[in-house]
Amino acid sequence: MSFTASNSSKDPILPLSVASNGEEKERERFVKDGDERLFRGSAMTRRGAYAAVSYMSCAVLLVLFNKAALSSYKFPSANVITLCQMICSCSFLYVLRRWKVISFSAGESLATSDGKATFVPFEILMRTLPLSAAYLFYMLVTMESVRGVNVPMYTTLRRTTVMFTMIVEYILAGMSYTPPIVGSVGLIVFGAFIAGARDLSFDFYGYAVVFLANISTAIYLASIGRVGKSSGLNSFGLMWCNGIICGPVLLLLTFLRGELEATMNFPHLFSAGFVAVLLLSCMLAFFLNYSIFLNTSLNSALTQTICGNLKDLFTIVLGWIFFGGLPFDIFNVIGQLLGFVGSGLYAYFKLIGR
């Protein structure tokens, strides 16, 4: 799958942010030729909408399968699951690229590509180092952030990622946002603090790590678009480079922390149920990572973050149905609804081109 520039001048993009002509031309590079808007005047293409919906669907399902592996089967290491997902993703990409089903570069032709050629040149691989470094930093800090605060406060503080994403996009890409978008994000953040109002117990270290996780998430999402533009790789190519660079580092980390040994001693390691859950988790992770790269490339890092907030409602509902244990609290319900409304308003303004 490759992404080529759009040469249609009819019904141009109406961007959410005020960007330079160069930025808009770069964004158009990720839009398929002739890709239609959802309707006249919409700022989102059909492919962009499909990418957003695909991300939310895969994210919700992946959370449920990871929850089943870590809680129901009591698997000891989330890092090992991440490593398995990364290995499976690189294996899928290798097979698909070798069979010439997909390409890694934006302008690469499948019909004329040489099966023996190097998938990604070394110099291009080096250009993706900032993205891989941002991903590793994001992954490690996010894991540490869960330990410092309780779950309600963690959820509350993580919702403020949208604010950090807006700041990072402004700093890195010079993007500015219209009042309706700023108001939608403000409503999401306000709803997050309402949801965690009963758990505002201050813990400097815990709060600092969670806010660092928010910043790392924003940098990672913003890096996807920038590295994709500078490297000429499409979403599959970015995924491949990310796995090739991050995989060995994660393998070394799990070995040094003794997680590989704990995995080998896991009593349900070869049980049919656990293996099925792990395989489905790896498959969903592949599609989730692709949808993240595609959604961020076709839409924006802020849209990706908003989609992450929007899918939380479905995750909470399905998690309560399948796993239970969610106590009723009126502040939490009101806060979740405000966040959902804010995400919905953002999606509406995105669709109508505001």
Side-chain angles (χ1 to χ4, degrees):
M1 180 183 297
S2 61
F3 303 105
T4 55
S6 174
N7 57 12
S8 174
S9 59
K10 302 176 183 178
D11 195 17
I13 287 181
L14 299 178
L16 282 177
S17 55
V18 179
S20 64
N21 291 334
E23 287 288 336
E24 289 304 318
K25 289 179 180 178
E26 290 291 343
R27 178 65 54 80
E28 284 290 333
R29 186 170 64 83
F30 290 97
V31 180
K32 187 178 179 180
D33 185 27
D35 192 17
E36 299 177 356
R37 311 294 168 201
L38 287 175
F39 47 83
R40 181 171 295 278
S42 172
M44 181 178 283
T45 64
R46 293 184 184 276
R47 294 183 69 230
Y50 294 153
V53 173
S54 297
Y55 161 72
M56 289 187 286
S57 302
C58 290
V60 171
L61 291 174
L62 182 60
V63 167
L64 296 180
F65 279 105
N66 285 346
K67 176 70 174 177
L70 295 172
S71 297
S72 300
Y73 286 96
K74 295 181 174 20
F75 188 70
S77 176
N79 282 338
V80 174
I81 292 181
T82 303
L83 179 62
C84 291
Q85 292 170 348
M86 198 170 289
I87 293 174
C88 288
S89 178
C90 287
S91 300
F92 291 153
L93 290 171
Y94 178 85
V95 172
L96 292 174
R97 177 62 182 82
R98 182 62 68 185
W99 289 352
K100 300 182 181 180
V101 176
I102 62 173
S103 65
F104 287 169
S105 300
E108 186 178 4
S109 173
L110 294 175
T112 59
S113 61
D114 184 3
K116 297 181 180 180
T118 304
F119 286 167
V120 176
F122 181 75
E123 59 271 18
I124 299 297
L125 185 67
M126 290 298 99
R127 291 185 191 177
T128 65
L129 276 176
L131 176 62
S132 300
Y135 173 74
L136 282 173
F137 182 60
Y138 148 76
M139 182 182 63
L140 296 176
V141 173
T142 300
M143 290 179 198
E144 180 63 25
S145 66
V146 181
R147 308 180 192 208
V149 295
N150 55 55
V151 173
M153 202 60 231
Y154 172 79
T155 304
T156 296
L157 296 177
R158 285 292 284 162
R159 288 287 183 86
T160 61
T161 302
V162 292
M163 180 178 62
F164 287 95
T165 304
M166 292 183 72
I167 295 173
V168 169
E169 283 196 322
Y170 175 77
I171 294 174
L172 295 182
M175 290 185 175
S176 58
Y177 298 92
T178 60
I181 297 302
V182 175
S184 302
V185 171
L187 186 59
I188 293 171
V189 175
F190 178 68
F193 280 101
I194 291 294
R198 294 186 187 274
D199 295 277
L200 287 172
S201 54
F202 185 77
D203 180 345
F204 178 78
Y205 175 77
Y207 280 34
V209 174
V210 175
F211 280 121
L212 189 61
N214 291 345
I215 296 173
S216 68
T217 303
I219 293 174
Y220 170 59
L221 294 177
S223 299
I224 292 176
R226 295 183 66 83
V227 173
K229 295 170 188 176
S230 63
S231 65
L233 299 173
N234 58 25
S235 298
F236 290 120
L238 292 175
M239 287 174 61
W240 171 259
C241 293
N242 208 34
I244 290 298
I245 295 174
C246 296
V249 177
L250 187 57
L251 177 62
L252 178 62
L253 178 65
T254 54
F255 174 76
L256 293 177
R257 297 180 63 174
E259 294 176 90
L260 291 180
E261 183 179 357
T263 299
M264 297 308 298
N265 296 327
F266 180 59
H268 303 290
L269 184 61
F270 298 106
S271 67
F274 176 76
V275 171
V277 167
L278 185 61
L279 286 177
L280 289 172
S281 174
C282 291
M283 292 175 64
L284 282 169
F286 172 77
F287 291 111
L288 175 65
N289 287 329
Y290 174 66
S291 63
I292 288 175
F293 283 103
L294 190 62
N295 190 28
T296 305
S297 300
L298 292 176
N299 297 311
S300 69
L302 182 60
T303 299
Q304 169 62 31
T305 308
I306 295 293
C307 288
N309 284 330
L310 195 58
K311 60 87 177 169
D312 282 346
L313 178 67
F314 303 102
T315 303
I316 291 171
V317 172
L318 292 175
W320 179 77
I321 292 174
F322 289 106
F323 301 102
L326 180 67
F328 176 82
D329 183 272
I330 187 62
F331 281 88
N332 189 275
V333 172
I334 293 174
Q336 297 290 352
L337 288 176
L338 287 175
F340 179 76
V341 171
S343 300
L345 287 175
Y346 175 88
Y348 171 73
F349 292 127
K350 173 77 174 179
L351 292 176
I352 66 174
R354 295 283 296 278

